């Protein structure tokens, strides 16, 4: 597993552009991480060369729930759609954290071993640990996520989070790292330009501490954590 002590860095691609993804990869460097993939990109071959990165799948079941079958007409078909992109995936996190026992049972049948679908915020003051679901899949709850942190106005304190006891799974989105998001209104305004890199650059937060600053500081502290 791609874990350092009790810390796991994870990323949900959420259909980001190659430019935004490459920007994030350059910042990540050789740090260990799990990247949950939403789409095919030429950068996947580059990522596979990095032994410190595990590729998982980030299936979107929302369309299926609304009767839209663009990714498949069943849970199994949706899973297969994403496994066609990452055939050797062992980890899953659903878009919007959509989860059920039926989904996890199917995921187990497809050979997936780990799920990261449960957000238990650090504000719960619960010491988190991996646990085994009835399907046999091991759940790894995460306690911090960039968009939730921004929305809930959590403190930008890397030391505070690293000092929590138990499992510490951080979840980032490349777009929020690129924009250095500190307010979700920034993302909302930038959303029409997600695939237009030059326009997207105009929305980068350059004046206040944001997601990118937190990410860089976190990686620095992890690298130096004994």
């Amino acid at each position: 597993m791609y874990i350092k002590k009790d810390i796991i860095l994870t990323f949900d691609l959420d259909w980001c552009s190659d430019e935004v993804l490459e920007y994030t990869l350059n910042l990540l460097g050789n740090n260990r991480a799990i990247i949950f993939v939403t789409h095919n990109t030429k950068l996947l071959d580059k990522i596979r060369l990095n032994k410190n990165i595990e590729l998982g799948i980030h299936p979107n079941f929302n369309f299926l729930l609304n009767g839209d079958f663009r990714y498949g007409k069943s849970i199994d078909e949706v899973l297969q759609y994403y496994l066609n992109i990452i055939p050797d995936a062992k980890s899953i996190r659903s878009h919007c954290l959509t989860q059920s026992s039926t989904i996890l049972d199917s995921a187990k049948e497809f050979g997936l071993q780990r799920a990261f679908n449960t957000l238990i915020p650090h504000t719960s003051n619960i010491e988190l640990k991996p646990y085994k679901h009835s399907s046999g899949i091991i759940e790894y709850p995460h306690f911090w996520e960039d968009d939730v942190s921004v929305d809930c106005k959590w403190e930008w304190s890397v030391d505070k989070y690293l000092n929590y006891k138990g499992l510490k799974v951080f979840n980032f989105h490349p777009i929020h790292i690129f924009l250095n998001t500190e307010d979700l209104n920034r993302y909302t305004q930038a959303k029409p330009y997600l695939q237009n890199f030059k326009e997207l650059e105009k929305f980068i937060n350059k004046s206040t501490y944001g997601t990118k600053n937190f990410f860089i500081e976190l990686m620095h502290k992890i690298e130096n954590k004994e």
Side-chain angles (χ1 to χ4, degrees):
M1 237 283 260
Y2 290 69
I3 181 172
K4 182 170 183 177
K5 294 185 180 293
D6 52 4
I7 302 166
I8 306 177
L9 289 177
T10 68
F11 300 83
D12 298 345
L13 290 194
D14 279 15
W15 303 272
C16 66
S17 69
D18 282 359
E19 294 90 345
V20 168
L21 175 54
E22 190 154 37
Y23 181 87
T24 299
L25 292 173
N26 288 336
L27 289 177
L28 178 63
N30 290 318
N31 285 286
R32 293 183 175 185
I34 303 174
I35 296 178
F36 292 96
V37 176
T38 52
H39 60 288
N40 219 333
T41 162
K42 61 184 180 182
L43 293 177
L44 290 180
D45 289 336
K46 174 182 177 180
I47 296 171
R48 288 187 175 100
L49 295 175
N50 188 334
K51 295 181 179 180
N52 286 329
I53 296 179
E54 174 187 339
L55 292 176
I57 59 171
H58 194 57
N60 186 352
F61 293 102
N62 295 348
F63 292 107
L64 176 63
L65 292 172
N66 289 320
D68 182 330
F69 304 134
R70 70 182 67 185
Y71 295 128
K73 296 181 180 180
S74 66
I75 290 172
D76 283 359
E77 287 188 9
V78 173
L79 288 170
Q80 188 61 67
Y81 175 91
Y82 290 91
L83 287 167
N84 286 341
I85 302 173
I86 311 295
D88 56 348
K90 298 302 180 186
S91 296
I92 178 174
R93 176 187 282 134
S94 302
H95 186 55
C96 295
L97 304 183
T98 302
Q99 180 165 282
S100 70
S101 292
T102 304
I103 289 175
L104 291 184
D105 286 342
S106 293
K108 180 65 174 178
E109 289 296 317
F110 275 99
L112 291 154
Q113 300 173 359
R114 300 179 287 270
F116 290 76
N117 276 327
T118 304
L119 172 62
I120 302 179
H122 66 91
T123 51
S124 68
N125 292 316
I126 297 173
E127 183 176 340
L128 302 183
K129 299 178 181 180
Y131 61 93
K132 191 174 185 178
H133 183 264
S134 60
S135 64
I137 282 183
I138 305 300
E139 287 266 15
Y140 288 80
H142 55 293
F143 82 140
W144 187 95
E145 183 168 330
D146 52 13
D147 56 336
V148 178
S149 177
V150 170
D151 192 37
C152 294
K153 302 186 185 308
W154 288 345
E155 183 181 357
W156 293 114
S157 174
V158 171
D159 287 335
K160 174 182 176 180
Y161 300 121
L162 290 181
N163 285 332
Y164 273 85
K165 292 182 180 180
L167 181 68
K168 290 175 275 292
V169 179
F170 293 87
N171 188 34
F172 292 90
H173 298 82
I175 187 59
H176 292 309
I177 291 175
F178 179 76
L179 293 175
N180 196 27
T181 304
E182 86 298 1
D183 188 315
L184 289 185
N185 286 327
R186 180 177 302 281
Y187 172 68
T188 300
Q189 293 170 8
K191 200 169 183 178
Y193 307 99
L194 294 183
Q195 301 302 319
N196 186 333
F197 189 68
K198 288 187 177 181
E199 287 297 318
L200 194 61
E201 288 181 309
K202 298 176 182 178
F203 294 91
I204 295 174
N205 165 30
K206 299 179 181 179
S207 60
T208 60
Y209 193 103
T211 303
K212 174 187 171 182
N213 302 121
F214 180 86
F215 176 59
I216 292 174
E217 185 180 349
L218 174 63
M219 286 195 301
H220 177 72
K221 293 288 178 66
I222 290 174
E223 289 168 355
N224 292 283
K225 186 177 175 65
E226 296 182 358

